[in-house]
Amino acid sequence: MEASSKGIFWLFLSKFFPPIINFTVFAYTARILAPEDFGLVALALAIIFLISSFMPSGWRDAIIKYQISDKLTISSIFWFNLAVSLFLSVIVIVFSLFSLFEFQTHAFNLAITIFCLKLIFDGLFYTLNTVLLKQEQYFLIALRTIISAVISAIIIIALLLLDFGVWALIWAQSILSITNFFAVYWPTKKFIGIQFSMASITRLNSFAMYSTLTNGVTSILDHYESVIIGSVLGKRELGFYNIAKRLSAIISDIFIATVNEVSFPLLAKKQEKITELRKAFIDCVYFSVLCLFPLFTFCFINSKQIFLLLFTEKWLSAAVIFQAFCIIFTFIILGIPQKNIIILRNHAKWWFQLQVKISLVIVPLTTLSAFWGLNTLLLSLIFGKCLYCSFSMWKSCQLLSLSIKRYLVSFIVPIICCATSAVVVISITQFIPNSQFILLDILASAAIFFITYLIQLFLFERKKLVIIGLTLLPNNHYLTKLAKKINNQDP
């Protein structure tokens, strides 16, 4: 039990400490560099990520799936990943030698060539990191994550202070990947030998090919829009888009990922009994909306002040893009429990097919919309997330024999409370002059918004909140007493 507690502690430390470091460096870098610099790096990285979608990631997943421990198989997977990454790097270098597109400036071609180091070492790192995950070496994983974040921060700041400019970001990305590899190589080197067996690779094909394809499609859908924006609208527009996306990703990694980690085990425990699973699903969706919708609603209405505080006035054009991500995240919040239900009910293949079918619509639509400007492209991205959410909602409700009306009604009250709180904040702040300190304005807006939100919840959803609280904390004496008090007050 003690070892398990320590493992959980290190997992949480590795999850929250690096984002704080990355966010601090990210905000500092944005104040120094221009949008065009961020756009150049974002476009080069997006192409590298698209190329890396063809990496044989499924064979890495097979190490955990089949609990592989023998040195020959792990060595074969390691060298297989290295061979593929070298082959893909040659393609990237050839691409950089022939400037076929307008965005391929000398700086861009040099940047994408340097990022080949990232492509190679990331492939090796993920293979060895999977071995650590299989062995549940959480301390080593956490230590590697924290050390890498600190090293990356030091490198970026040092290179910026030495006036390397955009090259500080470029070299820091590659050096970070190299550092990550050596950090995991030392504790796993006993599993790697100079040996290779094609038979070990081919016997994993049935699982690994499907997993590689699924991971590849997901990776492409995560990065394709950056390539479209950079090539069609230019590096400056991509710089604004990238800064908004990175800020959104930091918030998402901390909050949405945390809720997902809470909801998935809860649903998994109830998967054998459809009635209990249905109730757990409704509770998970309600809890997600209750906690995260007010956060993104607040960020939406205060996006300009947030960007002024963090990144200065030169990044204000990214505030509208950030608002679009806030809308997108509302669909993601609903989609996570829905996806979990689909997977738990053994319909992962249906989910993959849905991704492919919708991408065949959304990717061309996004490409065409880019020619009408960034705002039109953002609308197409929102539409795409809405489609995913709608189809997964229909499927999850069907699998649980749950009516869509009952599903929507289950979380309507927190949404109304969010909308009401937003209207109250906007109405009040119109009559209050802005102070000289942006942080004070944001804090005042936050106090009005969240106090209004909590008062409404207390008035209309007190009983439901106590029930969910007892589900998560069944031995809490305060919640037990409050539940008895509420039940005695009921007619």
Side-chain angles (χ1 to χ4, degrees), residues 37-52:
D37 296 328
F38 267 89
L40 185 148
V41 176
L43 182 56
L45 273 178
I47 291 176
I48 290 294
F49 285 134
L50 289 181
I51 293 293
S52 67

Side-chain angles (χ1 to χ4, degrees), residues 3-4 6-8 10-11 14 132-133 135-144:
S4 176
K6 288 182 178 179
I8 294 172
W10 281 107
L11 278 177
S14 67
L132 290 180
L133 285 172
Q135 295 178 317
E136 298 183 354
Q137 297 290 331
Y138 298 127
F139 170 76
L140 293 175
I141 295 171
L143 190 63
R144 189 272 310 163

Side-chain angles (χ1 to χ4, degrees), residues 338-460:
Q338 295 168 180
K339 176 188 174 182
N340 290 338
I341 287 293
I342 293 169
I343 292 173
L344 288 172
R345 300 301 290 175
N346 298 318
H347 283 72
K349 185 177 180 180
W350 180 92
W351 176 254
F352 169 71
Q353 291 173 343
L354 176 68
Q355 284 185 300
V356 174
K357 291 175 182 177
I358 293 183
S359 64
L360 292 175
V361 176
I362 295 302
V363 173
L365 179 63
T366 305
T367 305
L368 290 174
S369 65
F371 292 96
W372 280 275
L374 185 57
N375 290 337
T376 309
L377 183 141
L378 292 173
L379 289 175
S380 68
L381 292 177
I382 293 172
F383 174 68
K385 290 298 179 184
C386 181
L387 277 183
Y388 278 112
C389 183
S390 300
F391 280 107
S392 61
M393 175 185 67
W394 168 79
K395 187 65 175 180
S396 57
C397 288
Q398 182 190 54
L399 293 173
L400 295 173
S401 300
L402 175 68
S403 69
I404 293 179
K405 180 180 178 181
R406 183 186 171 191
Y407 169 76
L408 294 174
V409 168
S410 67
F411 56 83
I412 192 67
V413 174
I415 291 179
I416 294 174
C417 292
C418 281
T420 306
S421 302
V423 171
V424 170
V425 169
I426 293 171
S427 301
I428 292 177
T429 52
Q430 283 183 344
F431 299 99
I432 301 176
N434 293 330
S435 68
Q436 295 181 347
F437 302 98
I438 300 174
L439 179 59
L440 291 179
D441 293 335
I442 295 175
L443 292 176
S445 177
I448 296 170
F449 180 89
F450 288 105
I451 289 174
T452 305
Y453 180 72
L454 292 173
I455 289 174
Q456 293 177 89
L457 287 179
F458 181 79
L459 292 174
F460 302 112

Side-chain angles (χ1 to χ4, degrees), residues 40-90:
L40 185 148
V41 176
L43 182 56
L45 273 178
I47 291 176
I48 290 294
F49 285 134
L50 289 181
I51 293 293
S52 67
S53 301
F54 297 96
M55 287 289 291
S57 58
W59 278 264
R60 299 195 298 257
D61 296 340
I63 294 175
I64 294 179
K65 168 72 174 176
Y66 298 111
Q67 293 295 293
I68 297 171
S69 299
D70 66 286
K71 187 173 182 178
L72 177 60
T73 304
I74 293 177
S75 296
S76 300
I77 294 172
F78 179 86
W79 296 116
F80 182 42
N81 273 268
L82 176 60
V84 174
S85 64
L86 289 173
F87 174 73
L88 294 175
S89 297
V90 170

